[in-house]
Amino acid sequence: MCGILGIVAKTPVNQLLYDGLLVLQHRGQDAAGIVTAEEQRLHMHKGQGLVRDVFRTRNMRSLWGNTGIGHVRYPTAGSASSLAESQPFYVNSPFGIVLAHNGNLTNDAKLKDEMYRTDLRHINTNSDSEALLNVFAHELQNRAQGFKLDADIIFEAVAAVHKRVKGAYAVVAIIAGYGLVAFRDPHGIRPLTLGSHETEAGTEYLVASESVALDTLGFKRVRDIDPGEAVYISFAGELSNRQCHPTPNLVPCIFEHVYFARPDSVIDGISVYEARLKMGDYLAERVQKIIPDLDIDVVIPIPDTSRASALQLAIKLNLPYREGFIKNRYIGRTFIMPGQASRKKSVRQKLNPIGVEFAGRSVLLVDDSIVRGTTSKEIVQMAREAGARKVYLASAAPPVKFPHVYGIDMPTRAELIATGRTDQQIAEEVGADAVIYQELTDLISACREASGGRIQEFETSCFDGKYITGDITDDYLDQLEAKRLSPLSTKSSDSALHDLNIGIAEQNLV
Ligand SMILES: O=P(O)(O)OC[C@H]1O[C@H](OP(=O)(O)OP(=O)(O)O)[C@H](O)[C@@H]1O
Ligand SMILES: NC(=O)CC[C@H](N)C(=O)O
Ligand SMILES: [Mg+2]
């Protein structure tokens, strides 16, 4: 899952973009990039690593202009960690376009083939986002009359993108000389929100993956961008919008609410925090059913993401809630790190138990999700080493059993701890006395209730194998897995760790 951000302001945007990317850092730790625009001129700086490591003062100084976009990257299925695939991407024709993408395309192989054979465009990386940029560029070029461009032409180009592209895409882009474009796929799988800020010089606009960026940067939330909709904001700050798909249907990714998004964000009108509290309520009922005697002395969250659900679960069951694991604040999220070796090592570096909370007690550990089981195995063992009498493990999400193809790196069934195992076998695998999973219907109810009943359907494929875009076949999943399991792919994602902060790309694009 990546974080994207676009701003059209009245004064230089470099610092706003930097600060905005910092609050979206939880969505991608692999690479970061910013492009700013001064009319026809684009300035880019991007590199591998965290935002704070990629941008130095000298880089910031070169990012001139009152409009800009930014990206933090978490590489998805099919693509490895590499500088070449860091975003935003640039294409010089037509006009000069830069684009930042959150999501994952499911027909990028076909698109790349079409680019080569029909559209005569060169794609130089394995990134699906580069293909997406070139489809948009091609559709814009087909419609532009000479060098003249207006909102209608841009919206027709986005409509054409919707026809050609499948999968998940929330996008911000800049067209040199014109303005900022933002659009969302017809199911709105990935989030995208719009905010504004009034100044004496006029209205400024911000588009971001999560509302937390608006809060931090002093913008007011206007609304979420609708699925299928495109918004165009000229450099002068005039906003136009259009629904560019004939049958848009909001089916947002439920994993944003389980794990990805920050709890202080509001996505499609759902407070992520409230959704997680409700997950805790439902999970409490499951715990009561599976451990009727409630032989549990204490409820302990696995920091950070499970905290809200764990707290609510403890309240509901009338059990004490304690912080039994202390998180090292300098270690990032482990699940989105590339390579299993680094993820495993980081869990131990990240979490350390407080002995007194475990010694002689029966503990209920609560996590938001169990995916590969990397975290669970380590923390159950830590709890035992700290003297716990019994260790139960509850997950606010159901077992993750299917690859995620819309922007989360869960590509092979073999990697998922729930594949081919019963709950009892999973408990044995992680060393717990029992594992208690949320039911999928309850997870959906939690999010539906948090939406006030407005959103009926969620993208839940990693739990039930039902893919909303309708193009995911067994063959597709087999190919994805084969690609992922090839030695070349493993090597590139693990070795990427050693490259962190080494590769930096800087360009003044004219
Ligand atoms: O079963 P696994 O493959 O280990 O994946 C699931 C774990 O990874 C995530 O934590 P992460 O450390 O990424 O972030 P957090 O601090 O936001 O909880 C998630 O919250 C679970 O704890
Ligand atoms: N997680 C994401 O949204 C990734 C975007 C894009 N598919 C990439 O790999 O860079
Ligand atoms: Mg976690």
Side-chain angles (χ1 to χ4, degrees), residues 279-474:
M279 288 175 211
D281 276 331
Y282 280 107
L283 187 57
E285 288 170 18
R286 285 284 295 166
V287 170
Q288 182 90 65
K289 211 177 275 173
I290 293 176
I291 314 172
D293 64 354
L294 280 190
D295 173 25
I296 297 165
D297 299 315
V298 63
V299 174
I300 294 178
I302 312 302
D304 266 327
T305 302
S306 70
R307 280 203 171 106
S309 308
L311 177 61
Q312 188 62 19
L313 176 148
I315 291 171
K316 183 104 181 186
L317 294 178
N318 206 14
L319 289 169
Y321 171 88
R322 290 278 193 276
E323 294 283 346
F325 289 102
I326 296 305
K327 178 180 168 289
N328 180 338
R329 69 180 72 211
Y330 302 102
I331 304 278
R333 300 184 108 180
T334 50
F335 174 71
I336 62 175
M337 287 177 176
Q340 184 59 7
S342 61
R343 284 190 287 262
K344 194 163 178 246
K345 184 165 168 239
S346 296
V347 174
R348 284 275 173 168
Q349 287 176 334
K350 177 174 163 170
L351 298 171
N352 196 43
I354 295 183
V356 291
E357 295 296 357
F358 295 91
R361 289 182 171 170
S362 170
V363 299
L364 173 63
L365 307 179
V366 180
D367 211 345
D368 52 87
S369 56
I370 304 171
V371 183
R372 298 179 178 91
T374 320
T375 310
S376 318
K377 279 184 198 160
E378 296 297 323
I379 52 118
V380 169
Q381 201 182 333
M382 283 189 234
R384 297 236 185 252
E385 285 163 6
R389 171 168 67 83
K390 273 188 181 171
V391 183
Y392 297 116
L393 177 65
S395 163
V400 174
K401 290 193 169 158
F402 300 90
H404 201 293
V405 299
Y406 301 124
I408 301 181
D409 185 22
M410 303 174 186
T412 67
R413 283 159 281 198
E415 278 178 77
L416 305 170
I417 194 167
T419 301
R421 289 191 180 92
T422 61
D423 291 3
Q424 172 64 30
Q425 287 167 329
I426 296 168
E428 280 161 26
E429 185 68 20
V430 301
D433 289 278
V435 172
I436 302 117
Y437 278 108
Q438 185 89 271
E439 297 273 314
L440 180 56
T441 46
D442 289 344
L443 173 62
I444 295 171
S445 299
C447 295
R448 191 181 283 152
E449 285 165 25
S451 80
R454 273 183 321 102
I455 303 178
Q456 288 301 314
E457 211 184 333
F458 290 86
E459 204 297 307
T460 53
S461 55
C462 62
F463 304 118
D464 61 10
K466 293 179 188 153
Y467 295 91
I468 187 70
T469 50
D471 57 335
I472 305 303
T473 58
D474 283 345

Side-chain angles (χ1 to χ4, degrees), residues 221 224 257 266-272 274 450-452 454-455:
R221 185 169 169 272
D224 293 279
H257 297 286
V266 177
I267 294 182
D268 294 315
I270 300 179
S271 150
V272 175
E274 269 181 45
S451 80
R454 273 183 321 102
I455 303 178

Side-chain angles (χ1 to χ4, degrees), residues 145-163:
Q145 285 140 13
F147 63 90
K148 291 270 187 253
L149 191 62
D150 58 30
D152 284 341
I153 295 175
I154 293 170
F155 295 147
E156 281 164 26
V158 174
V161 167
H162 289 329
K163 283 193 190 132

